[in-house]
Amino acid sequence: MVHYDVLVVGGGAAGFFTAINLANFNPELKIAILERGKTVLSKVKISGGGRCNVTHAEFIPKDLTRNYPRGEKELLGPFHHFMTGDTIGWFAERGVELKTEEDGRMFPVTDSSETIIDCFLSETRRLGIEVLTGQPVKNIWEENEYWCIESIKTNFTCDKLVIATGSNPKMWDILKKLGHKMVNAVPSLFTFNIKDTRIKNLAGISTFAEVKIPNSGLESEGPLLITHWGMSGPGILKLSAWGARELNDCDYQFSIFVNWVPGFNPDTILEGLRSIKKSSAKQKVSKYAQFELPKRLWVKLVTAAAISGDEVWANVSKTQLDKLAFQLTKGEFTVNGKSTFKDEFVTAGGVDLKEIDFKSFRSKKYKSLYLAGEVLNIDAVTGGFNFQNAWTGGYMVAKAIAGDIS
């Protein structure tokens, strides 16, 4: 048996952030990070296309929580203790400068996730934190006020145990055996598979749109990217996150309404179309895209409204105008399946949030067990928010343990 004051299971974002902050708070503690794989921080490495979307430039706690379909209420308090500004400062103190892009996402100025990984590994070396790889955990139990951890290679004991293993199903089974209620995992942040002539051969086109799932209350807006297999982009990914459970329940077979001209509805857009009909009477409808839509998309929607390529505005009938108004603002598309968004692969599910004390991220069932990151039933939309949850949870755990031990 190898004994540690604190053992962190999970060598990802939340695990490293917990261990590093704890060692800063109390350098005397013997701390180790236990990772099942051969390498650590693998998700950090590939996130944001290899650039690592560290956080998001949202500096109001309440507004920040609105990006979490699961965890919105619970994270409000923790975000008052550690959120975006604190994250920026934390990395700056360690020589890592972040930059903000137009959509609010924040990346290291190097545009490389290796900058974040190097920072974490440098800190663990400086602080004497042991990083033990190739140690899949087989079992965990509490005995004589110590935690016992059995891995394939070694057995460990510790005073305080932190679980930061994300959506690892084996760890979820262990947590179930410990008496924790686990909310079943379902995919979040996925793209929609759609075969439709209106978007055929338009892969790569992106435009701002509103998307709704009828009779569900689910809706979002944002850039919509047409792909070879259907639709993606932030507008779609947000909808998939908020509707993760409902869409899983219907086996990813559903319809969506797309409004390609946000702010308009069929009636108000009709007024604009009538005005164009008068002012551009002799012009071919398909020649110039209207409402700042991409040209190729405009042509497809015009065709879907039964308006031929040679038709001029003057000859467009009332029925055709009505159809075009609906194609622009309320076009219905059938979704038949999903595809994983490779840069994020987030799941909804994990430890039931009612079983966690969010002042410390401590288990309500065990006084010396803490959980952080995606092992909890917390997930966010794309844009750096899932990492911010990892940083906040890790910091809160470290602060709680340091305060308890000192």
Side-chain angles (χ1 to χ4, degrees):
M1 286 278 188
V2 182
H3 184 80
Y4 291 92
D5 296 313
V6 182
L7 193 61
V8 179
V9 182
F16 267 79
F17 209 73
T18 301
I20 292 167
N21 279 289
L22 181 54
N24 268 311
F25 290 140
N26 190 339
E28 302 301 316
L29 295 176
K30 186 180 180 183
I31 304 167
I33 297 171
L34 206 60
E35 166 57 37
R36 62 174 175 157
K38 293 180 180 179
T39 59
V40 294
L41 300 163
S42 56
K43 194 166 180 181
V44 171
K45 184 172 184 176
I46 65 172
S47 74
R51 296 196 297 147
C52 189
N53 186 182
V54 176
T55 186
H56 200 94
E58 174 53 73
F59 299 95
I60 301 172
K62 184 68 175 177
D63 291 344
L64 184 59
T65 65
R66 294 194 179 105
N67 294 284
Y68 296 83
R70 285 146 292 273
E72 179 178 1
K73 180 182 69 174
E74 290 81 3
L75 287 174
L76 182 58
F79 281 159
H80 276 93
H81 292 279
F82 193 96
M83 59 171 289
T84 312
D86 304 294
T87 299
I88 296 167
W90 192 94
F91 281 104
E93 287 173 7
R94 290 156 180 83
V96 178
E97 186 182 350
L98 304 181
K99 63 176 180 178
T100 306
E101 301 202 337
E102 284 185 11
D103 59 4
R105 293 181 302 162
M106 300 193 72
F107 296 88
V109 294
T110 58
D111 275 330
S112 173
S113 58
E114 294 294 341
T115 302
I116 304 301
I117 294 170
D118 290 345
C119 171
F120 284 160
L121 294 178
S122 173
E123 283 293 279
T124 56
R125 288 191 295 268
R126 181 179 71 83
L127 294 163
I129 299 166
E130 293 183 51
V131 180
L132 309 173
T133 56
Q135 297 272 6
V137 172
K138 294 170 64 178
N139 198 13
I140 294 173
W141 67 96
E142 195 179 31
E143 186 177 298
N144 299 326
E145 296 189 1
Y146 291 118
W147 283 102
C148 301
I149 299 92
E150 179 189 1
S151 87
I152 287 178
K153 292 182 180 178
T154 318
N155 290 340
F156 304 90
T157 58
C158 61
D159 299 304
K160 307 284 185 181
L161 178 63
V162 182
I163 305 294
T165 49
S167 54
N168 178 359
K170 289 184 179 179
M171 186 56 64
W172 286 27
D173 288 340
I174 291 172
L175 287 167
K176 277 184 186 177
K177 290 178 184 176
L178 288 171
H180 269 294
K181 180 182 177 182
M182 305 299 294
V183 180
N184 290 338
V186 298
S188 182
L189 293 182
F190 49 84
T191 62
F192 296 171
N193 294 350
I194 299 170
K195 286 187 178 181
D196 194 291
T197 55
R198 289 168 290 177
I199 59 172
K200 188 177 181 180
N201 299 323
L202 296 186
I205 284 180
S206 179
T207 187
F208 199 88
E210 295 173 347
V211 189
K212 294 182 180 181
I213 299 177
N215 306 314
S216 70
L218 293 168
E219 58 183 84
S220 74
E221 65 175 25
L224 185 155
L225 173 67
I226 298 172
T227 69
H228 291 290
W229 58 88
M231 294 182 184
S232 183
I236 294 295
L237 295 170
K238 280 192 284 186
L239 196 61
S240 76
W242 288 99
R245 297 213 165 271
E246 293 90 333
L247 302 183
N248 178 75
D249 290 344
C250 69
D251 198 27
Y252 309 103
Q253 311 290 319
F254 57 96
S255 293
I256 59 172
F257 289 134
V258 178
N259 184 346
W260 301 103
V261 280
F264 289 92
N265 60 43
D267 292 331
T268 56
I269 202 75
L270 201 53
E271 295 176 18
L273 292 173
R274 287 173 183 148
S275 176
I276 295 167
K277 180 178 178 177
K278 287 181 181 179
S279 63
S280 306
K282 296 181 180 180
Q283 194 178 93
K284 288 182 181 179
V285 178
S286 60
K287 186 171 184 180
Y288 297 107
Q290 305 295 328
F291 309 104
E292 299 183 359
L293 285 173
K295 172 72 181 294
R296 289 191 295 148
L297 175 61
W298 168 258
V299 171
K300 289 275 191 177
L301 297 177
V302 167
T303 303
I307 300 172
S308 72
D310 294 327
E311 197 77 86
V312 295
W313 279 103
N315 295 335
V316 176
S317 68
K318 179 182 182 301
T319 299
Q320 288 173 316
L321 278 186
D322 287 340
K323 285 182 178 179
L324 184 53
F326 266 87
Q327 289 296 335
L328 288 167
T329 61
K330 208 174 181 180
E332 186 171 3
F333 293 82
T334 300
V335 178
N336 182 19
K338 62 171 177 60
S339 297
T340 303
F341 183 52
K342 62 181 179 180
D343 286 343
E344 297 292 343
F345 53 93
V346 170
T347 57
V351 176
D352 192 316
L353 302 186
K354 293 177 183 176
E355 299 185 347
I356 303 297
D357 176 1
F358 280 91
K359 292 180 180 178
S360 59
F361 282 70
R362 186 201 311 256
S363 162
K364 290 181 179 178
K365 294 182 176 292
Y366 299 93
K367 65 179 182 178
S368 55
L369 174 63
Y370 300 78
L371 303 104
E374 288 179 36
V375 71
L376 300 172
N377 185 27
I378 294 176
D379 62 283
V381 301
T382 183
F385 302 104
N386 282 299
F387 274 140
Q388 185 56 57
N389 169 47
W391 314 142
T392 297
Y395 179 86
M396 296 291 285
V397 169
K399 190 174 182 183
I401 293 177
D404 193 38
I405 289 178
S406 60

